[in-house]
Amino acid sequence: MKLASLRGPGRDGTLVVVRRDGAVFTPAPAEFPTMQAALDRWDESEPRLRDLASRLERGEIPGEPLDPQKLAPPLPRAYEWVDGSAYINHIILVRKARGAEPPETLRTDPLVYQGGSSVLLGPREDIVLHDARWGLDFEAEICVILGDVPLGTKKEDAHRHVRLLCLANDVTLRNLVPGELAKGFGFFQSKPATAFSPFAVTPDELGASFRDGRVHLKLVSTYNGALIGDPEAGPEMHFSFFDLVEHITKTRAFGAGTILGSGTVSNVDRARGISCLAERRMIETIDEGAPKTPFMKPGDTIAIEMRGEDGLDIFGRIEQKVVSP
């Protein structure tokens, strides 16, 4: 099942059910006007939404043409946006880039931060760069959207709480990161609004590609019209989404409508490219002594997408352009 949120009439948008090819949609039942309303009553909404999706797929009900420009993020505002860093290769490279050593618990204790969730970007919204000196970077990620998750949830039970999956561009201002982390209190100004894919899908839409809490497909990033990375998202995700759920619920519960990110998808094999510019800059530093690739500037574009084994575009395409204020 594929879901999306149209912009308006209120801040939380209007929930719609989308055909698998992403071309047409039908409104969700009136009882579930928004994605959050559906998540809050998932036991009731899920079968109703699935029935609509099946009827739409079979052509039993009419569908309206879908314009991605009119889409908000699947969750226009979320109760929480928690981002992990589950790919060891990415951690090592970006730490080297800022002259920091990886933590001693690199392989045993996940890294997570809590981002801003009241203002999220839709899949076609521009990235406004207020100061080029901040070092704008994209980060291509996979996310899960959770239902209610109790405190102390174990990874063996985490799958029960995964409602949907989507993609994200976790925008980062790289040159603000070192100063913030030096304070010992984490990211804040260096993490502006995150953008999300047009569609959020139920795990069964990925079939066997979603297993062991990982998505075993390529995440494709196109920068300024050219392929810049297509890493395999599954094998090198050291901490699965189920591991991350266990980690974040150690001391507190989470409400339905929490988004949990994988962190930047990254492979050791350089042939798979990169999912953020910081990695390319670090590789250039290792090979040539200094970075050559600049950070993003007005006019630059980034697109992020993922296709299934059947070639179908699963989540729709994030397409963003960097603009001046």
Side-chain angles (χ1 to χ4, degrees):
M1 179 170 62
K2 186 172 288 190
L3 304 175
S5 292
L6 294 174
R7 293 204 172 277
R11 289 189 176 189
D12 297 313
T14 300
L15 179 63
V16 296
V17 178
V18 182
R19 200 168 68 192
R20 290 193 73 240
D21 64 3
V24 301
F25 73 91
T26 191
E31 303 96 303
F32 313 109
T34 66
M35 180 73 81
Q36 186 60 52
L39 291 165
D40 284 339
R41 299 163 57 194
W42 191 250
D43 288 346
E44 301 171 52
S45 68
E46 193 259 356
R48 297 279 304 281
L49 294 169
R50 277 195 185 278
D51 178 64
L52 266 182
S54 296
R55 292 165 61 198
L56 182 64
E57 203 67 35
R58 294 193 299 265
E60 296 175 0
I61 55 175
E64 300 179 48
L66 182 70
D67 180 359
Q69 297 286 349
K70 296 181 179 179
L71 291 178
L75 267 174
R77 52 179 175 171
Y79 279 108
E80 302 201 54
W81 158 228
V82 182
D83 198 16
S85 192
Y87 294 86
I88 299 297
N89 187 60
H90 173 74
I91 298 171
I92 291 172
L93 285 175
V94 296
R95 290 286 178 115
K96 282 184 178 179
R98 64 174 188 262
E101 290 296 320
E104 292 182 3
T105 56
L106 177 68
R107 297 180 184 275
T108 59
D109 196 24
L111 296 172
V112 297
Y113 83 91
Q114 188 149 8
S117 58
S118 61
V119 177
L120 302 174
L121 300 181
R124 299 293 192 272
E125 283 193 73
D126 293 336
I127 304 170
V128 181
L129 177 58
H130 292 269
D131 192 331
R133 294 172 298 178
W134 293 347
L136 178 65
D137 199 358
F138 71 92
E139 293 193 64
E141 304 190 11
I142 306 167
C143 304
V144 294
I145 299 175
L146 302 173
D148 291 317
V149 190
L151 184 153
T153 296
K154 299 301 181 186
K155 62 182 180 181
E156 293 80 11
D157 299 318
H159 67 280
R160 304 175 188 274
H161 310 292
V162 174
R163 301 290 182 251
L164 301 161
L165 293 96
C166 61
L167 304 181
N169 176 15
D170 178 37
V171 181
T172 301
L173 301 171
R174 296 289 183 191
N175 292 338
L176 298 184
V177 171
E180 288 203 294
L181 295 186
K183 301 176 186 178
F185 218 54
F187 300 118
F188 197 86
Q189 291 180 333
S190 53
K191 290 291 187 178
T194 303
F196 292 89
S197 57
F199 313 130
V201 306
T202 48
D204 58 286
E205 283 292 316
L206 284 81
S209 297
F210 183 59
R211 59 185 186 273
D212 59 42
R214 299 170 174 87
V215 177
H216 292 264
L217 294 168
K218 292 179 180 178
L219 183 60
V220 179
S221 297
T222 303
Y223 185 52
N224 290 332
L227 176 68
I228 196 171
D230 61 349
E232 294 282 356
E236 294 182 51
M237 187 180 185
H238 184 75
F239 298 104
S240 73
F241 281 114
F242 301 159
D243 292 320
L244 294 175
V245 167
E246 179 173 306
H247 178 78
I248 66 173
T249 61
K250 180 177 180 178
T251 60
R252 70 191 202 200
F254 287 83
T258 295
I259 306 174
L260 174 62
S262 66
T264 305
V265 176
S266 181
N267 289 173
V268 172
D269 181 4
R270 292 190 185 180
R272 296 273 58 85
I274 51 93
S275 296
C276 70
L277 296 179
E279 287 193 11
R280 172 173 279 189
R281 288 168 57 87
M282 190 60 240
I283 291 168
E284 291 168 346
T285 300
I286 292 170
D287 290 349
E288 305 172 43
K292 297 194 303 183
T293 299
F295 287 119
M296 300 179 81
K297 61 186 182 303
D300 286 342
T301 60
I302 181 64
I304 300 167
E305 62 190 324
M306 177 176 277
R307 293 186 178 272
E309 297 292 353
D310 58 1
L312 189 69
D313 187 349
I314 300 172
F315 302 102
R317 184 176 167 101
I318 297 173
E319 294 182 12
Q320 294 183 279
K321 183 178 182 179
V322 180
V323 300
S324 298

